[in-house]
Amino acid sequence: MNPRRVAFDVLRQVTGEDAYANLVLSKRLATAGLDTRDAGLVTELVSGTCRLMGTYDRVIEAASGRALSTLQPAVVDLLRLGAHQLLGMRMKKYAAVTSTVDLARATVGQRVTGLVNAIMRKLSAHDLDGWLDVLAAGADPLDELAIRGHHPRWIVEAYADVLPAEELPAALAANNVAPHPTLVVRPGLAKVQELRGATPARFSPFGATAEGAPSEQTAVRQGRAGVQDEGSQLVAWALSHTAAPEGPWLDLCAGPGGKASLLAGLARQQGTWLLASELQEHRTRLVAQSLGAYPDGTVTVVADGTKPAWGRAFSRVMADVPCSGLGALRRRPESRWRRSPEDVTALGSLQRELLRKAIASTVPRGVVAYVTCSPHRAETVEVVNDVLAEHPGATRLHAPDMLPDVPDAALGDDIQLWPHRHGTDAMYLALLSVE
């Protein structure tokens, strides 16, 4: 199977069917029968094209002198892949142009090969930096930062709202580097030391990185370890050792199960158990699978966190609410171009309601962890501020006290992690004490 054809098929699903690149890519590679080298090429073609898609779209329009809307969607995807080979991977002009024209002939048809050839040759007039100079000419400072950092302007503005100006280029650049998978051991079931060739994580006592596929680790195959970003590990760990009365724990939005698995092990070590609740049935199955290695101490249910069937019963509650995912742009390359400010606004009421129900589910002197994988103020501090204003009996704890060895993580009394500072996803955490 031609690896470029595989990459094209995956990209068509991403752009034409709104599929998630990482999921489609994984499924396609599992059946394509490619060797390691060609599979790596497909991964780079898909991930790299998706990551810089907005930039490539502007370059294609500038080079061709026509709007993308005047081209067939399949031709646009062919040109995006060609642009990444020319500009992102720096392939030689002849190889990039010829392979893209050949792919156009095999997929769309002979009639578009002349057009594809002409535009590809125009794309080769500059390297990527040269095209960025063209696009940035006359732009204001934020627009130029967005262009050179390969992000929509509205995301740059959201980052600028919470980061010093001098850090913005590094923060955007960090989103353009695919992360190495981080492993996590399940407390009570495995230790970091038994992971073969592992280097302990920078901050999490449960995390490590190792060469090779995670599935090559025996503990991962047995469910005693898994894959989980270190930032996700840290927010669960912070909740686990915040002072709270004895009693069961709740993961209010548990899918797909990473934090639930870590919380379950930590709860068992403290002599209690975890209820993992998830609204969507297929995600609940993923949670149950993730928790499956524990012989006891967990209960998984399909439930709506905004309409809980339980009362005020839990000493610790994790509310990892649905969010825009702006904190995980490095691992979800297409999402920066797929999301919009309206998506952030639309999630606000759900996030607030879930936090209200988390507070209502917590026993006196219990603790709620409000978590998002987003640094956007509208999904983080503004949500917490609004809900606290309604609940005079709930107070903010100084969350950085729970992660004293993690530098530069404080956002007032809350925690904001960053890829460029900590090597983690941009996880946000607020800890609330409930009276």
Side-chain angles (χ1 to χ4, degrees):
M1 176 68 71
N2 183 334
R4 289 176 175 80
R5 175 60 186 266
V6 175
F8 173 75
D9 291 343
V10 171
L11 190 60
R12 290 300 300 132
Q13 286 189 262
V14 172
T15 62
E17 302 173 22
D18 209 26
Y20 288 102
N22 60 332
L23 299 180
V24 177
L25 178 61
S26 178
K27 290 180 181 178
R28 193 70 179 87
L29 288 178
T31 60
L34 300 174
D35 61 24
T36 301
R37 181 171 177 271
D38 282 346
L41 174 59
V42 173
T43 300
E44 173 57 32
L45 284 171
V46 172
S47 299
T49 300
C50 287
R51 188 172 292 113
L52 270 64
M53 187 180 296
T55 299
Y56 292 150
D57 287 354
R58 296 182 69 168
V59 170
I60 292 166
E61 289 189 332
S64 66
R66 59 193 295 173
L68 291 188
S69 59
T70 66
L71 299 169
Q72 288 178 251
V75 171
V76 173
D77 283 341
L78 287 165
L79 293 171
R80 288 165 170 162
L81 288 170
H84 185 59
Q85 291 171 82
L86 270 174
L87 308 178
M89 300 173 68
R90 298 183 179 182
M91 286 186 180
K92 294 198 177 294
K93 174 181 174 180
Y94 176 80
V97 173
T98 301
S99 63
T100 303
V101 171
D102 290 345
L103 185 60
R105 181 180 296 109
T107 55
V108 180
Q110 178 67 34
R111 59 189 176 79
V112 302
T113 55
L115 174 65
V116 169
N117 180 68
I119 295 177
M120 283 294 297
R121 291 184 179 279
K122 290 179 179 179
L123 288 175
S124 69
H126 304 288
D127 62 10
L128 181 57
D129 288 338
W131 277 115
L132 294 180
D133 289 342
V134 171
L135 297 177
D140 66 39
L142 271 186
D143 261 340
E144 182 170 0
L145 195 56
I147 290 167
R148 296 190 184 279
H150 311 294
H151 286 69
R153 179 185 171 114
W154 72 272
I155 294 180
V156 178
E157 291 173 340
Y159 276 37
D161 204 24
V162 290
L163 276 174
E166 62 270 17
E167 286 191 48
L168 285 175
L172 300 178
N175 286 338
N176 297 330
V177 180
H180 191 79
T182 302
L183 303 176
V184 59
V185 295
R186 313 294 191 211
L189 301 179
K191 295 183 181 298
V192 169
Q193 293 79 1
E194 73 176 85
L195 298 176
R196 188 176 63 260
T199 300
R202 184 178 174 189
F203 306 114
S204 169
F206 316 102
T209 56
E211 295 300 322
S215 60
E216 295 175 1
Q217 298 284 346
T218 301
V220 172
R221 293 197 301 272
Q222 294 175 345
R224 297 182 297 110
V227 177
Q228 185 181 22
D229 179 74
E230 189 178 6
S232 181
Q233 297 177 40
L234 289 173
V235 296
W237 187 39
L239 173 61
S240 74
H241 61 263
T242 304
E246 294 182 358
W249 300 5
L250 169 66
D251 190 343
L252 190 65
C253 309
K259 294 183 187 68
S261 296
L262 185 51
L263 288 170
L266 294 168
R268 292 175 82 249
Q269 288 181 343
Q270 295 191 29
T272 188
W273 58 279
L274 174 79
L275 176 66
S277 171
E278 170 56 43
L279 174 62
Q280 299 179 24
E281 190 168 347
H282 73 280
R283 286 169 64 87
T284 305
R285 289 194 293 270
L286 294 176
V287 175
Q289 180 180 345
S290 186
L291 294 172
Y294 286 108
D296 52 39
T298 67
V299 176
T300 304
V301 297
V302 179
D304 185 346
T306 67
K307 302 173 183 177
W310 51 80
R312 196 174 181 185
F314 300 95
S315 64
R316 289 181 174 86
V317 176
M318 168 70 72
D320 180 11
V321 300
C323 69
S324 64
L326 296 185
L329 297 181
R330 59 189 187 144
R331 69 179 70 254
R332 296 171 187 159
E334 79 283 3
S335 61
R336 72 188 70 182
W337 311 113
R338 180 176 287 176
R339 298 296 187 191
S340 70
E342 291 72 28
D343 294 325
V344 173
T345 302
L347 287 164
S349 60
L350 174 61
Q351 292 163 345
R352 286 166 174 79
E353 186 59 20
L354 286 167
L355 181 53
R356 293 186 190 105
K357 291 303 187 287
I359 292 172
S361 300
T362 308
V363 300
R365 300 184 308 282
V367 179
V368 171
Y370 175 81
V371 173
T372 68
C373 189
S374 170
H376 200 298
R377 288 181 62 86
E379 300 188 273
T380 58
V381 293
E382 292 179 8
V383 173
V384 177
N385 289 344
D386 288 351
V387 175
L388 283 178
E390 305 168 1
H391 293 78
T395 57
R396 229 186 197 109
L397 301 174
H398 190 62
D401 288 345
M402 298 301 106
L403 298 176
D405 296 328
V406 183
D408 302 317
L411 182 65
D413 285 327
D414 305 333
I415 284 172
Q416 180 64 66
L417 302 173
W418 291 98
H420 71 288
R421 288 183 184 176
H422 308 105
T424 69
D425 287 348
M427 301 294 299
Y428 167 85
L429 167 68
L431 292 172
L432 311 180
S433 177
V434 179
E435 297 300 324

